[in-house]
Amino acid sequence: MKSAVFYGRHDIRIENRPIPAVGAHDVLIQVKACGVCGTDVHIFEGDKGAAETHPPTVLGHEFSGVIADTGSAVTRYRKGDRVCVDPNYYCGACEFCRDGMAHYCTHMTGYGTTVDGAFAEYCAVNEKQVYPLGDGTSFQQGAMTEPVACCLHGMDMCEIRPGSHVAVIGGGMIGLIMVQLARLAGASRIALLEPVEGKRAVGKALGTDVCIDPLHEDVPTALAAHGMLCLNTVIECVGRPATIEQAIELAGPKAVVMMFGLTRPDEAIAVKPFTVFQKEIVLKASYINPYTQRRALDLIDSGRLDVTSMVHTV
């Protein structure tokens, strides 16, 4: 099979590799769609992603496809099933798993990070990690389940209540998912800060109340003009120190600032403790997707979440 193999910084090679062997509890998936995550970009640039990657490794962890073969002990699935995959397989026995923090599992297998993933024609995964796609869900939509699951974990931590005022910084794929999740969580007003006009247009179509160009508009003035004088939640989806610092400055009293965008490991932000103290801001971050894959797929299957409108704009 053709595989895109990561060998090191800026070094990905297309190779012919054997189709993966299928263990007793594994399914072999013929990959039909696979997203490129920000984590993949960080790894390609030589930085650490969510987990350690030791080359040579086939990256790719946001994927869907068709089951081409099943192991001898597999009972849940059969050949021909259309599925997506939660790429993070927890051991269930370490202290983190036993204490309800499985995404910090000390023996976690990450398909596409710690072991070979889906930048290839086939990928073998444990059947526990597989979820069947709805009849009306495309492979492209199915591949978006993992990033939506990550967003859901972050959204669960944002403390958005009905009537909340929310700002999302960054209108890429993740930011546009967050806009929709904020609306579903009950936010009454949502602002999107995004310099690219096409992305702002998609954000508007997906339910944003206020779209602001942060490079050419005064953000506090624009927010105030739309009655958003006190932001309850600010979600940063860019992963740059400057926009994280902006999120802290924009946050209102008692606000939650979600630092969702992934920075480089060595980057730092300048935080004024007095600002945090005076406004009682809560700074949070979100790490991968513990136990949110099924909810993410249900949102996509039901049509409550649009993961296709933004594809050609980012």
Side-chain angles (χ1 to χ4, degrees), residues 31-36 40 59-64 117-120 139 143:
V31 178
K32 295 295 186 179
C34 186
V36 179
D40 296 317
L59 304 181
H61 59 271
E62 305 174 352
F63 65 106
S64 64
F119 286 171
F139 290 116

Side-chain angles (χ1 to χ4, degrees), residues 203-227:
K204 189 68 174 178
L206 291 175
T208 304
D209 301 290
V210 185
C211 292
I212 301 170
D213 179 353
L215 299 184
H216 299 97
E217 297 181 68
D218 182 78
V219 175
T221 300
L223 289 170
H226 291 84

